[in-house]
Amino acid sequence: MTILKKALYPVGGLGTRFLPATKVMPKEMLPVVDKPLIQYSFEEALAAGCEQHIFITGRNKNVLMNHFDHAFELQRTLDEKEKKHLLEITRDWLPKPGQVAFIRQQEPLGLGHAVWCARNFIKDEAFAVLLADEMLIPDGESSLNRMVKVHEETGGNVVAVYPVPKEKVSSYGIIDPEGEGDVVRIKRMVEKPSPDNAPSNLSIIGRYILTDAIFPYLEKGQRGAGGEIQLTDAMQRMIEDGHTFHAVVCHGQRFDCGSRRGFLEANIGYALQNPELHEPMVEIMERFLKKARKK
Ligand code: G1P
């Protein structure tokens, strides 16, 4: 059994799918309801026991760094006005000094490259990787919590997967599972296959627990799909060399916030979950539906 302490957040991407919103604003700072995407991931990792948070950032990401720091003027004003709740949601969740680190990925060369940039900060241990633009409202326990248990049982690498329609497989890493079930061993994985070449419809959803054995594989810097250094390719080469990978099959509502549709859906999904917003959201949707159906 190994204890998972570190969480890695690759946030150095350019966010081109969300231009012009992401021209100066990091895509991970886009809000779902009232919280930026990155804060959801951070809270998920915290709840799974991670105490050290490493962000792989790029240029234009200062706003994201500031989000994990004090906002003194704002906090003082809220304090003076006795806005307790607002102060709480602004300040009280902040990581303690020394719990966050930011590493600059000077060039956005792909997810594999982003993870490799953290190699000197991870030694003889497993770590989690969370992609902030993937969100899941699970049916029960969070996917990362389930993954931690599988990692503790196997000591190996774990990824979260979610079934997608066949025509969507070319947007994701797709696994070839051994057998069926909620936790399966992975025989093979392939990054963004065409529907005809996909080994299954189980897509990797941006939650990984990896051992530091990944770094020598990433070191090679081999380019894959889209000319990028792909994490999936490095994981596949590890499998070929006998490293163990398990997949935790997730259920619930998955939102790929890297797409406009997924992002809009996430806002609706999370608003419906919010006790204050549930009723207003239903009322808004009913009104819009009525109007749309009249056309
Ligand atoms: C990345 C990974 C891919 C994974 C996806 C999840 O792709 O490379 O394997 O399925 O995230 O969102 P990207 O969305 O960065 O192209």
Side-chain angles (χ1 to χ4, degrees), residues 9-14 24 26 28 55-65 102-108 114:
Y9 310 87
V11 292
L14 296 175
V24 290
E28 298 80 10
F55 297 80
I56 316 295
T57 72
R59 282 177 290 284
N60 266 348
K61 303 282 176 168
N62 291 352
V63 177
L64 190 146
M65 290 200 269
F102 297 91
I103 296 173
R104 279 289 268 262
Q105 181 189 18
Q106 288 100 333
E107 289 174 89

Side-chain angles (χ1 to χ4, degrees), residues 17 27 110-112 131 133-134 160 169-174 189-192 202-208 228-233 235 254-258:
R17 280 192 281 178
K27 92 172 160 186
L111 179 58
L131 305 188
D133 58 9
E134 283 278 1
V169 292
S170 58
S171 299
Y172 302 105
I174 302 291
M189 55 178 89
V190 44
E191 181 69 9
K192 306 198 170 89
L202 293 175
S203 67
I204 299 173
I205 56 161
R207 297 291 178 276
Y208 311 79
E228 294 188 346
I229 301 168
Q230 297 289 356
L231 186 60
T232 308
D233 294 347
M235 294 193 292
R254 180 241 188 133
F255 307 106
D256 178 356
C257 295

